[in-house]
Amino acid sequence: MQSNSVLDYLLKIPTKYKAGYLVLIDPDRYERDACIRLAHQAEEAGVDALLLGGSFLTGELNPIAEVLHNEISIPLILFPGDAMHVSRHVDAILYLSLISGRNPNLLIGEQVKAAPLIQRYGIEAIPTGYMLIDGGCQTSVGFMSGTNPLPRDKFDLAWAHALAAQYLGMKLIYLEAGSGANLPVPNGMISVIREQIGLPIVVGGGIKTPEIAAAKVDAGANFIVTGTIVERGADSSLMKALTEAIHR
Ligand code: 1GP
């Protein structure tokens, strides 16, 4: 039987803090040593868990997953772009279904390919309704998935998708503007979804300051993800400021 220890850990975070903070490490952007340094900085800054992955990986994820898994004590959660990214060296995998799109391969195809490996490795799978929201520019996830993002002003469409994910039995909703997005997910959209559904809401993409992160939390986000901004930071001070703004 599969354990739910990482999901349980995540679900307890909003009982301790106002919201949780997840840092995304995309191994394509950094050399191995820089990934390891970033992960240690995140741990020191009080980040709650690391996401590892990206929508487009040209390098090898597995060796970096292995070293991070050995060296870092906060959970390491795979954030896969497709089934080829499944690694045994993680604590859990966000088992993403791109529910905002109508690409059957990303709704169920990659999940079927990944399922036997996930079982063989004994990794905890966290069923996640992944929703791409227009972030004001073309992003890698939009391009690679070949799907249209949900329009920024169609709050009713967004909450209907999130509600469908809840009825399908998913455990998290991930509202994604795309890594490096010009505009993060609108606060109003987060609030409407928060009012309509009970699932924890993860928000990421284009969050560039602690103030923006705090506003997403006030709107109803339970978890904030940042990647680009902390990867560009030279030290852990920005991650600490983000942790404080998100945890409170
Ligand atoms: C991507 O939401 C994450 O899935 C992070 O986005 O790189 O824009 O912080 P950024």
Side-chain angles (χ1 to χ4, degrees):
M1 190 162 70
Q2 205 163 49
S3 121
N4 283 329
S5 60
V6 175
L7 181 60
D8 289 345
Y9 166 83
L10 292 176
L11 295 181
K12 280 186 193 131
I13 291 169
T15 66
K16 207 159 81 173
Y17 304 123
K18 196 152 167 71
Y21 180 26
L22 314 176
V23 162
L24 171 67
I25 297 180
D26 180 343
D28 254 5
R29 291 183 176 163
Y30 285 90
E31 297 298 328
R32 179 182 177 277
D33 288 353
C35 285
I36 296 167
R37 193 166 56 243
L38 192 60
H40 281 292
Q41 285 175 348
E43 192 169 18
E44 281 159 29
V47 168
D48 298 292
L50 295 178
L51 298 184
L52 180 69
S55 46
F56 181 60
L57 293 179
T58 54
E60 278 194 286
L61 179 138
N62 216 36
I64 290 179
E66 184 169 14
V67 67
L68 294 185
H69 201 214
N70 288 336
E71 291 200 15
I72 302 296
S73 58
I74 55 176
L76 181 66
I77 304 172
L78 191 67
F79 180 61
D82 62 40
M84 280 171 56
H85 299 164
V86 175
S87 165
R88 67 170 79 236
H89 304 292
V90 292
D91 298 299
I93 176 170
L94 288 187
Y95 200 57
L96 303 170
S97 183
L98 183 58
I99 59 168
S100 57
R102 299 297 180 268
N103 177 345
N105 189 47
L106 296 174
L107 282 163
I108 186 63
E110 294 298 320
Q111 294 79 354
V112 171
K113 285 190 233 165
L117 263 188
I118 291 171
Q119 185 190 55
R120 188 180 312 156
Y121 295 161
I123 309 167
E124 176 184 346
I126 303 176
T128 304
Y130 190 51
M131 293 170 50
L132 183 57
I133 315 295
D134 182 4
C137 60
Q138 176 68 282
T139 57
S140 297
V141 58
F143 184 82
M144 291 304 291
S145 67
T147 65
N148 288 325
L150 290 171
R152 298 180 60 75
D153 58 347
K154 301 286 189 228
F155 294 179
D156 52 348
L157 260 186
W159 77 251
H161 280 75
L163 188 61
Q166 179 170 296
Y167 289 157
L168 283 165
M170 291 172 179
K171 301 295 185 198
L172 298 176
I173 292 291
Y174 193 137
L175 303 178
E176 171 71 273
S179 189
N182 286 344
L183 302 168
V185 176
N187 297 337
M189 183 182 282
I190 298 168
S191 300
V192 167
I193 295 174
R194 174 74 298 145
E195 282 162 21
Q196 299 285 343
I197 67 159
L199 294 181
I201 300 171
V202 183
V203 177
I207 296 175
K208 299 185 176 93
T209 66
E211 292 73 25
I212 293 172
K216 305 296 160 208
V217 172
D218 289 338
N222 302 104
F223 298 95
I224 298 294
V225 181
T226 70
T228 309
I229 191 74
V230 293
E231 287 173 353
R232 286 187 187 147
D235 58 39
S236 58
S237 61
L238 179 58
M239 267 192 270
K240 283 188 183 135
L242 280 157
T243 305
E244 279 166 25
I246 293 163
H247 280 172
R248 275 179 275 174

